[in-house]
């Protein structure tokens, strides 16, 4: 069970890094950091564990989150990250326009498969 949680967290961590890198091309590192901070704040009202996400200048780590989830295996990891990703793309679309946000979403779907963006 722990290996499954670790693999999920690792996959989402990779996805978040890709989102950061793609967004940074349009917004710059500082603005992307603020965007991630905003989304963490939004999602934390429902999922406190999202506050364990560490991010700074393109580096995102879910290590503390993975440790917390091992203690609470009933946490809906997929729902939490899907809400994060959805909220991120919604705000990103407002900032850079739907066309550019769609390009990023398409690239993420190609690389990560069944992500409902």
């Amino acid at each position: 069970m722990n290996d499954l949680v670790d693999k999920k967290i690792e996959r989402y961590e990779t996805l978040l890094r890709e989102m950061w890198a793609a967004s940074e091309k349009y917004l710059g590192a500082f603005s992307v950091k603020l965007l991630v901070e905003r989304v963490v704040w939004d999602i934390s009202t429902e999922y406190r564990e999202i506050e364990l996400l560490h991010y700074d200048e393109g580096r995102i780590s879910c290590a503390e989150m993975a440790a917390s989830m091992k203690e609470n295996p009933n946490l809906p990891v997929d729902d939490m990250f899907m809400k994060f990703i959805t909220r991120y793309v919604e705000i990103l679309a407002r900032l850079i326009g739907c066309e550019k946000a769609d390009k990023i979403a398409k690239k993420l779907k190609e690389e990560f498969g069944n992500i409902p963006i």
Side-chain angles (χ1 to χ4, degrees):
M1 183 70 160
N2 285 339
D3 288 339
L4 181 61
V5 171
D6 287 342
K7 287 182 182 188
K8 275 187 179 185
I9 298 296
E10 184 178 316
R11 183 169 186 252
Y12 284 121
E13 185 176 73
T14 301
L15 176 61
L16 295 179
R17 287 181 180 152
E18 290 291 326
M19 289 170 55
W20 185 296
S23 303
E24 193 173 43
K25 293 175 186 175
Y26 297 103
L27 299 174
F30 182 74
S31 295
V32 173
K33 182 181 174 188
L34 291 176
L35 174 56
V36 170
E37 190 173 297
R38 169 58 192 261
V39 175
V40 166
W41 180 78
D42 282 351
I43 303 302
S44 69
T45 59
E46 188 172 350
Y47 299 104
R48 300 298 291 173
E49 287 80 3
I50 200 74
E51 292 178 354
L52 299 173
L53 181 69
H54 287 275
Y55 50 92
D56 189 24
E57 302 302 321
R59 297 179 190 191
I60 295 178
S61 172
C62 297
E64 283 188 40
M65 192 180 292
S68 174
M69 289 182 190
K70 287 178 184 176
E71 295 172 12
N72 183 9
N74 296 325
L75 183 73
V77 177
D78 294 317
D79 289 344
M80 179 179 68
F81 278 107
M82 286 304 108
K83 284 187 181 192
F84 182 95
I85 292 165
T86 301
R87 184 71 180 130
Y88 185 96
V89 172
E90 286 173 355
I91 294 172
L92 185 64
R94 289 185 199 138
L95 293 172
I96 65 173
C98 290
E99 186 176 306
K100 291 177 183 175
D102 284 343
K103 285 181 186 179
I104 292 172
K106 183 179 176 185
K107 180 181 175 187
L108 294 172
K109 282 182 183 180
E110 289 172 1
E111 291 185 28
F112 293 95
N114 61 351
I115 295 174
I117 301 175

